[in-house]
Amino acid sequence: MKGSLIKRRESIIVSTIVTLNQVGLQNLSTKLIAKREGVSEGTLFRHFKNKTEILLAVIDQFSQFDDAIIETCQVNKLSSLETIKYFFNAYAEYYENYPEITVIVQSYDSLMCDPELSDKVRSIIDKRADFIFKTVKEAQKNGVIQKNIEARLIEAILSGASRELCLKWRMSKFDFSINEKSREMVNAVLAAFSENSHSKDA
């Protein structure tokens, strides 16, 4: 019984992501989610109290690989540049395999307007940004990224370019490989700010 409840809960989360991707955050309703799931709204509310609680679960789904990606970089003792490349490429690969989930990236502003969702969204954004910021600082310390450029600015350029690439991918109806373009983008940014391309940390 417990297993079936968990499966239904997970299925509702997936249905919510698909519905959100189709209609947008403003038009999302429990009625549409229930219709997509093929159940009544009453069944929906046996698993979640309200739409906000469903969206919190969706946001958790969106961030489920954050710790794993960061841990992989640390366990494998990747260099600072390798870490940055792996970080953005891992997300791009995740998005390519699950295009619908990228609707969350494009809903940041709207989600931040909801006081019950804003803290969780902010914590995800801040955690990802801080990890890249610290990695850029390490790269600067190791002499492979220019020290005269603010680490936070380089992080913002990488993160902003990644989000813009995601938006362009969605607008094109996923007609190119975001994985390949992400690799090109990250390599280009790192090359632009490289202190010494022959460094041992490269």
Side-chain angles (χ1 to χ4, degrees), residues 64-111:
Q64 65 175 323
F65 293 121
D66 285 8
D67 290 337
I69 289 172
I70 292 172
E71 184 179 351
T72 296
C73 296
Q74 295 168 338
V75 169
N76 291 318
K77 297 181 179 179
L78 300 181
S79 71
S80 51
L81 294 190
E82 288 171 340
T83 293
I84 293 169
K85 290 176 183 179
Y86 178 82
F87 183 89
F88 286 101
N89 294 338
Y91 283 113
E93 185 175 350
Y94 173 39
Y95 297 158
E96 189 149 292
N97 291 324
Y98 193 179
E100 293 86 357
I101 198 70
T102 58
V103 69
I104 303 300
V105 179
Q106 306 308 320
S107 301
Y108 277 163
D109 287 348
S110 297
L111 291 168

Side-chain angles (χ1 to χ4, degrees), residues 15-34 51-52 54-55 58 111:
S15 290
T16 302
I17 293 169
V18 172
T19 305
L20 180 60
N21 187 58
Q22 292 174 338
V23 305
L25 189 61
Q26 295 299 110
N27 296 317
L28 185 69
S29 67
T30 52
K31 183 176 181 179
L32 286 175
I33 296 169
K51 186 176 79 171
T52 297
I54 298 174
L55 284 171
V58 166
L111 291 168

Side-chain angles (χ1 to χ4, degrees), residues 3 21 23-24 27 33 62 91 93 97 100 116 121 127 131 134 141-143 154 164 173 175 179 182 190 193:
N21 187 58
V23 305
N27 296 317
I33 296 169
F62 172 69
Y91 283 113
E93 185 175 350
N97 291 324
E100 293 86 357
E116 295 184 79
V121 174
K127 184 176 183 178
F131 180 71
K134 291 174 182 176
K141 181 181 178 182
N142 293 339
I154 296 175
E164 180 71 9
K173 300 188 184 301
D175 73 348
N179 199 358
S182 177
L190 292 179
F193 292 109

Side-chain angles (χ1 to χ4, degrees), residues 157-168:
I157 291 171
L158 283 163
S159 298
S162 180
R163 284 193 292 271
E164 180 71 9
L165 181 61
C166 184
L167 174 61
K168 295 283 177 60

Side-chain angles (χ1 to χ4, degrees), residues 32-68:
L32 286 175
I33 296 169
K35 182 179 179 180
R36 174 73 193 187
E37 183 65 12
V39 299
S40 67
E41 284 187 89
T43 298
L44 216 63
F45 294 135
R46 285 203 289 271
H47 297 273
F48 298 94
K49 292 178 182 178
N50 49 42
K51 186 176 79 171
T52 297
E53 190 171 283
I54 298 174
L55 284 171
L56 284 169
V58 166
I59 295 168
D60 281 335
Q61 175 89 352
F62 172 69
S63 65
Q64 65 175 323
F65 293 121
D66 285 8
D67 290 337

Side-chain angles (χ1 to χ4, degrees), residues 184-200:
E184 292 177 14
M185 179 274 292
V186 173
N187 288 338
V189 172
L190 292 179
F193 292 109
S194 174
E195 188 71 57
N196 183 356
S197 62
H198 299 292
S199 169
K200 64 180 180 180

